[in-house]
Amino acid sequence: IAGVMAQAPDFSFETWHTVPFGTIEDPNGWASLNALVTLGGTQSVFKETTAPNAGLASVKIITVKVSGTSIPNPYRPGTNLDTAGFLVVGTINVSPPGLKYGYSSTSRPAVLSFASKYTPTAGDSAFVLVYLTKYNGISRDTIAHGKYGTNTAASTYSTTNLTLTYNPAFPTVVPDSERIFISSS
C-alpha cells in the first residue's frame, strides 16, 4: 500500500517519543510542529499529565506563530497557516524533510469519537478533520470524510461524535488509510 505509515498511533496519548533532532516529544504515531523547535520554532504540542481526560496522559495543543515555512491548511485547501497548533496521524520524515500522513485502516466506521476541552483566544477556532482514503494505483481516493469545528470555550472534557460522510462513488470500498488532523487554531 503506497503512502501509509507503519507505526500505530496511540489514540489514548499514553506513549510518547522524542521528535527528530530534539528532546521534545510527540505522541506515538502522531506528528506536530514540535520538530521545528530545533530550528527556532515554538513548541505547540505537550504531554498533559496534570489533568488528563483519561489514563495517565492527554495531549495539549496550543497555537503558535509559524515563521520560516509554509504549512498547507487542511481545513481550507489552497491557503497556508500563519499560526498553528496541530497534530496529525503520521510521522516526520528526516530525508526528504516533511510529514507522512496516515495510518492503515481496514474498516468503514460511521463515527469518530473523541474527548476534548478548548480555551480559544480572540479569533481562534479549533477543528478535527478525518479522511479515509484508498490508493487506486495512481493516487488516493477519498472514501469518507468528517469535519468538526468550534470556537466555543469548554473548560471540561466532553465527548464529540464526528459522523463520517461516505462518497457515494465508493459504496463498498474499504479504505486503506485514515488521516486525522487536530488543530487548536
Side-chain angles (χ1 to χ4, degrees), residues 46-59:
F46 299 85
K47 186 177 186 179
E48 172 60 56
T49 58
T50 305
N53 175 56
L56 299 175
S58 290
V59 66

Side-chain angles (χ1 to χ4, degrees), residues 153-179:
S155 60
T156 60
Y157 285 100
S158 62
T159 300
T160 298
N161 294 311
L162 191 155
T163 300
L164 299 177
T165 303
Y166 278 82
N167 185 334
F170 306 105
T172 61
V173 174
V174 176
D176 62 16
S177 178
E178 60 184 313
R179 298 167 181 225

Side-chain angles (χ1 to χ4, degrees), residues 68-80:
T69 187
S70 295
I71 299 173
N73 185 340
Y75 196 71
R76 292 190 182 100
T79 65
N80 289 327

Side-chain angles (χ1 to χ4, degrees), residues 86-106:
F86 75 85
L87 189 64
V88 300
V89 169
T91 57
I92 297 171
N93 290 336
V94 176
S95 180
L99 291 173
K100 185 175 182 181
Y101 301 121
Y103 179 67
S104 297
S105 178
T106 58

